[in-house]
Amino acid sequence: MSEPRPNLVRRTPFPDSVSRAVVTPLQPSVVYASPDPDALDGQYEGRSHGYTYGREGHPNADVLARMIDRMEGGEGGIITGSGMSAVTATLLGLLSQGDHIVGGNQLYGRSLRMMTQDLPRWGIDATLVDPTDAAAMAAAITPATKLILVEVVSNPTLRIADMEGIERLARERGLILVVDNTFTTPYGFPAYTRGADVVIHSVTKLLAGHSDVTLGYVLARDAAQRKAIYDTNVTLGLTPSPWDCWMAERGLYTFDMRFERTQANAAALAEIVSTHEAVERVLYPGRPDHPDHNRAGALLGPNFGNMLSFRLHGGREAANALTRAAPLVAFAPTLGDVGTTLSHPASSSHRGLTPEGRAALGITEGFFRVSVGCEPLDLLTRDFTAALDAVG
Ligand SMILES: *Cc1c(COP(=O)(O)O)cnc(C)c1O
């Protein structure tokens, strides 16, 4: 007879403590045990608050959602597994076969793909329009139009949508206005308090801020729309991981400081880059030579953001020389990292377009987008000056 082994299957109770943890606990549990079926009824019927199954919601997602709610000035936002999950749950939750959607023509690439390639397979048509022109948006509306999807600042040319005109249009025509506020963040453009019906974020970018989580967020004003988006998110399984939520919460504690620092850096770097002879054009909404500077001032000022773009005089050779000369500025197709990243749309986000299609947007082989980070400005100045000098 061997000694009975200790019971390892039953969980050991978590120790009580009169002192509290300062840091939000990470709760990876997928399942939650209720005391009895009556209690479970109470949970499902909203008489008491309790979690049941991780795909339907969990505490780390809720902590993060409440933080972003406060930034947008709303209530009841939903965390999703990625920014694209937020777009997907919104569009599939709110649209049905036979509906029509009007979208900005320079939206995030996958959002464009969803509208032009996926939604039509499910009987939903999309028309893409320049969002700097509210009259063109109005002209695209049909009796079947149900929703408008726009981003405030376009990628990568940083054009500024006519948000006031589009908001008025949505009100007049009874359309749902969905704003993907990823580039602007709630501090650059408080989309919800400025009239958006639904606000979307890729939390992956500036909000989480460290390029180590993939998450999204959706905030809907109308309770029925909020429920439709939530149910679609749960049904499609676009579940956020508790770990990612915990990491994003951690990132948000420094959002305020990153926001101020990165946009101050971006404004200064735009000036520095603009004076270099290798550069043909700088695009930064805070500069008077930006095509939408007045609108940017009215909508965003003084928070012109951390994104800037520039065009070199040269082509691909010049682009290669620039990235090789600044190996410590990550050449990576993302944005919103705590450190500066450089993206080259012709070889990444916009590689699917023809050279003519890119040229129409002003995206040449010498075009770069910079997501400016929190580095000391003198370090950025040194790196970009060396990189631009190497272009010759
Ligand atoms: C990155 C991005 C998305 C998609 O977010 P993921 O978290 O990568 O899925 C959507 N919209 C905009 C504007 C983005 O920049």
Side-chain angles (χ1 to χ4, degrees), residues 81-87 106-111 151 153 155 180-183 200-205 213-216 333-335 369:
S82 64
M84 274 317 296
S85 305
V87 173
Q106 282 194 59
L107 294 174
Y108 184 68
R110 283 278 157 181
S111 298
E151 295 169 15
V153 177
N155 177 39
D180 178 336
N181 207 16
T182 300
F183 267 52
I200 289 173
H201 284 283
S202 169
V203 177
T204 311
K205 312 290 173 51
V213 300
T214 302
L215 284 177
T334 189
L335 66 113
R369 187 195 73 183

Side-chain angles (χ1 to χ4, degrees), residues 175-199:
L175 306 176
I176 305 169
L177 176 59
V178 181
V179 177
D180 178 336
N181 207 16
T182 300
F183 267 52
T184 17
T185 83
Y187 291 178
F189 183 75
Y192 193 70
T193 56
R194 300 268 186 98
D197 297 300
V198 179
V199 181

